[in-house]
Amino acid sequence: MPRPVSPASDIAVLAVGMDDRKLALLRMAFRLHHSMRYRLLESPSGEHAPDLAIVDVDSPVGWQAWEDFRLRHPTLPALIVAATPPERPPAVTLAKPLRVESLFPQLQAALRPVPVAEPTPATAPAPRPEPAAAPAPPPAAPSISIARFDPRRGLLGATTRLARQARPALLLADGRPLLWLRPDRALAQCLQPAEQLRELCRQDAPALQAQAADASAGGLNQPLPALLWQLAIWSSQGRLPAGIGADTPLRLRQWPNLTRLAALPDATRLSALLTKTPATLRIIVRLLRVDPEHACTFLAAAHALGLLDWNSEAPALKVISSAPVRPDPTQPGTVAPERAGFLSRLLQRVSRL
């Protein structure tokens, strides 16, 4: 139950799972609010016990932040902030971006004591409760049918190996020049039509030969990363690189330069997720609701550029394991988001706080 707070005392608000930017915004909002005095706590202490808490579940640990908080503070009133509130939140949830108009009323509501009904005299013996039914088993993980290919074979494998060398090279198919590569300058030239390259990518063991090339021969008209990305797309055909499973933790080392690479469905959303937090293919499909083949093709292309980190023997990821549900406007306890950002709305309302 919330402890009573006198209007003259500071209200200590514990912030959980927030980065420096979000903490700075909350401090500014608290300083500008005059009807009640709020004080931000970044960690609880014996000298300053928190009156309530705000838990951000969009940090890298996700909902684990809420679970850890509840283990440490089982009775402390709390609000949750989330970009996509769940359908049945465990506490009042504020959708991002935060609205000043909603934040402070919800903070005050969380401090109000919860009324406890007075017990009434029993007029008859209470019926013996029925044995509790066994809990339903958790839903099975979605089944994903995955085909795989070996990126070390075929045209993609041969080009990747030559791209790792420092000297210029010429790749031939059946004795005819196919690709001229300058790895030292990260450039390449295609010497045959794109359709022929695509057909060779579909073959598991085409007749390819590599030889040293003159550094001044030919003209360079394509970035080497763009060539590798395209060859990986043609080679993948919706398949996953061998060695990666549906539950293998995956992460991007950095954003691919999508403005200079062949377009792929959902590439921006996949890049945003995998540069922020590790995720498995199974989680990616459920969380982003993307076509598994599109996700596999993107992962194959990122792997060809050396952007994909993965470890088939890594422990299970502590990340959200189900797709978030868009908030229902009629769902109680969920505050609808606003288009404007928190800081801009905060500054616009300085005079009214």
Side-chain angles (χ1 to χ4, degrees):
M1 177 183 297
R3 65 180 179 90
V5 180
S6 63
S9 64
D10 288 348
I11 299 172
V13 181
L14 175 64
V16 179
M18 297 190 182
D19 56 26
D20 293 340
R21 177 178 174 274
K22 295 171 186 174
L23 291 173
L25 291 176
L26 280 179
R27 289 195 194 94
M28 181 183 295
F30 290 172
R31 284 198 300 267
L32 297 174
H33 191 72
H34 300 304
S35 62
M36 297 187 73
R37 294 173 57 185
Y38 292 92
R39 177 166 44 87
L40 192 64
L41 296 180
E42 298 183 31
S43 61
S45 63
E47 183 180 358
H48 302 288
D51 299 300
L52 72 160
I54 302 178
V55 182
D56 192 331
V57 297
D58 290 333
S59 64
V61 297
W63 281 92
Q64 188 66 39
W66 170 258
E67 296 174 6
D68 293 344
F69 162 77
R70 266 295 168 240
L71 287 176
R72 294 191 299 268
H73 306 280
T75 61
L76 186 67
L79 304 178
I80 296 174
V81 291
T84 308
E87 186 177 8
R88 295 180 179 85
V92 174
T93 301
L94 301 173
K96 294 180 181 178
L98 288 177
R99 297 177 56 201
V100 177
E101 299 89 339
S102 303
L103 173 62
F104 291 109
Q106 293 295 341
L107 289 174
Q108 296 175 25
L111 290 170
R112 298 190 190 105
V114 179
V116 179
E118 293 294 331
T120 57
T123 58
R128 180 174 297 178
E130 295 291 333
S143 175
I144 302 178
S145 178
I146 303 175
R148 291 178 175 81
F149 77 106
D150 190 347
R152 299 169 299 179
R153 299 177 61 85
L155 178 57
L156 175 61
T159 307
T160 302
R161 287 189 294 273
L162 292 176
R164 293 172 181 168
Q165 301 176 6
R167 59 182 184 274
L170 186 65
L171 187 62
L172 301 91
D174 294 324
R176 293 180 299 173
L178 185 67
L179 296 172
W180 182 54
L181 308 178
R182 284 292 305 270
D184 56 328
R185 297 175 58 183
L187 292 172
Q189 181 183 9
C190 297
L191 305 175
Q192 297 296 332
E195 188 54 42
Q196 182 175 348
L197 296 177
R198 183 169 188 169
E199 180 59 34
L200 288 171
C201 287
R202 295 171 181 164
Q203 301 176 22
D204 189 49
L208 300 174
Q209 306 86 36
Q211 65 181 39
D214 186 351
S216 61
L220 302 169
N221 57 10
Q222 185 174 12
L224 186 53
L227 173 63
L228 292 172
W229 178 275
Q230 183 63 75
L231 295 180
I233 294 174
W234 288 336
S235 301
S236 169
Q237 303 179 70
R239 299 175 296 173
L240 199 60
I244 302 178
D247 297 303
T248 301
L250 306 167
R251 185 164 192 167
L252 285 181
R253 297 174 183 173
Q254 64 185 54
W255 270 76
N257 189 353
L258 299 177
T259 60
R260 297 191 175 186
L261 301 173
L264 282 175
D266 303 304
T268 301
R269 293 199 297 148
L270 289 164
S271 299
L273 173 64
L274 293 176
T275 52
K276 181 180 180 182
T277 181
T280 67
L281 177 62
R282 196 184 307 277
I283 291 174
I284 292 170
V285 171
R286 294 185 66 184
L287 192 63
L288 300 183
R289 299 182 182 180
V290 298
D291 188 314
E293 291 190 358
H294 293 169
C296 290
T297 301
F298 173 84
L299 294 172
H303 179 271
L305 296 191
L307 301 179
L308 189 64
D309 277 335
W310 58 279
N311 183 355
S312 59
E313 299 180 356
L317 292 173
K318 293 183 178 180
V319 295
I320 186 170
S321 59
S322 60
V325 181
R326 291 188 178 274
D328 184 352
T330 62
Q331 178 71 27
T334 299
V335 181
E338 194 73 17
R339 288 186 179 179
F342 182 33
L343 180 59
S344 61
R345 291 195 310 278
L346 180 63
L347 295 177
Q348 291 172 4
R349 294 181 57 82
V350 166
S351 60
R352 287 181 282 173
L353 290 178

